[in-house]
Amino acid sequence: MAPPAAPRRQIADGIRDSFSAGLGIFPLGIALGLLITQAGLPWWLAPALSLAAFAGSLELLLVGMLATVTPLAAVALTVLVVNFRHVFYAFSFPLHLVRHPVAKAYAVYAMIDEVYAVNASLPEAERSARRLLALQIACETYWVGGGLIGVGLGALLPAPIKGLEFALCALFTVLTLDAVRSRGEIPSVLLAVASVAIALVLTPDLALLTALLLFAGLLLVRHALTARRPGTESADA
């Protein structure tokens, strides 16, 4: 039986897990708030976007599309292409740990790239519903809080600031390197690089979607080959 302090410790572990991702999420939220202010959009759009569509890369794109009054069909297609990767996240995301229907709905809603990457680096035995939800709530707090601070800074600064959106690329790079270092998944990295290269050559306009589909297919092939190997070895023995 788990000690009484176990649930509290799981929540603390989840918050601690969020620190590495929060180093990128918080400044990215500030960048979102600044972009909204500099685009001449109302300040409340920062928390509204953060709560309605909790996805950093998508929200940064939506700011520009809203500022230029992009047609709704183009916005819908962009949302589909950019967030299509979350379909593949669901295959290995530990939603089965979350039992309460409301909590499970929130876990699905807050299944962002950073949460997936941090959770994927954890050993299976250390995962829990409380730890996962604490990680997700902390990450959303960083994002919403950063956006509000960015709106405030944007109203005070006399000139626009460029380059803060690079925090998104830097964050994904750090999370990828951390996952590779902790799990030693060099073959997966090579498959991902190959998928991106092929997608950029064959379908440059839909490179993200093509790369995700190709990478998922290659991972399935690798899994099938790896799963078959122990049986083959035992049969030869």
Side-chain angles (χ1 to χ4, degrees):
M1 180 179 296
R8 190 174 301 175
R9 184 167 58 249
Q10 291 170 6
I11 295 174
D13 289 341
I15 296 174
R16 185 164 52 250
D17 294 338
S18 71
F19 291 160
S20 59
L23 291 175
I25 294 176
F26 186 70
L28 190 61
I30 295 177
L32 173 67
L34 287 170
L35 289 174
I36 287 176
T37 303
Q38 294 171 9
L41 298 171
W43 70 268
W44 52 261
L45 197 60
L49 277 178
S50 299
L51 295 174
F54 183 30
S57 56
L58 174 63
E59 291 176 50
L60 291 171
L61 290 174
L62 287 178
V63 171
M65 301 181 82
L66 291 174
T68 56
V69 196
T70 304
L72 184 60
V75 174
L77 179 61
T78 301
V79 172
L80 174 64
V81 173
V82 173
N83 275 2
F84 193 78
R85 65 190 185 276
H86 290 270
V87 175
F88 303 103
Y89 290 171
F91 294 152
S92 56
F93 198 69
L95 291 173
H96 63 279
L97 297 176
V98 185
R99 302 297 179 84
H100 195 281
V102 176
K104 186 181 287 289
Y106 177 79
V108 173
Y109 153 78
M111 187 175 58
I112 60 174
D113 302 284
E114 294 82 1
V115 169
Y116 181 87
V118 173
N119 185 79
S121 65
L122 295 177
E124 185 70 27
E126 297 182 10
R127 298 176 182 176
S128 68
R130 290 184 179 88
R131 185 169 186 172
L132 174 61
L133 292 171
L135 167 63
Q136 292 180 300
I137 293 173
C139 287
E140 186 166 15
T141 301
Y142 302 145
W143 180 246
V144 176
L148 292 174
I149 291 177
V151 168
L153 290 176
L156 295 175
L157 295 175
I161 296 179
K162 298 181 180 179
L164 282 177
E165 60 272 14
F166 181 73
L168 180 65
C169 178
L171 173 61
F172 287 160
T173 301
V174 171
L175 291 174
T176 300
L177 292 175
D178 185 60
V180 172
R181 183 178 55 189
S182 62
R183 304 192 67 175
E185 284 290 331
I186 301 300
S188 296
V189 175
L190 296 178
L191 291 178
V193 172
S195 300
V196 172
I198 294 173
L200 289 174
V201 173
L202 297 181
T203 58
D205 295 334
L206 294 173
L208 178 61
L209 179 59
T210 302
L212 285 172
L213 292 173
L214 183 58
F215 184 50
L218 292 175
L219 286 179
L220 289 174
V221 172
R222 182 191 170 200
H223 175 72
L225 294 176
T226 304
R228 188 183 309 171
R229 193 173 304 160
T232 304
E233 291 176 355
S234 60
D236 293 338

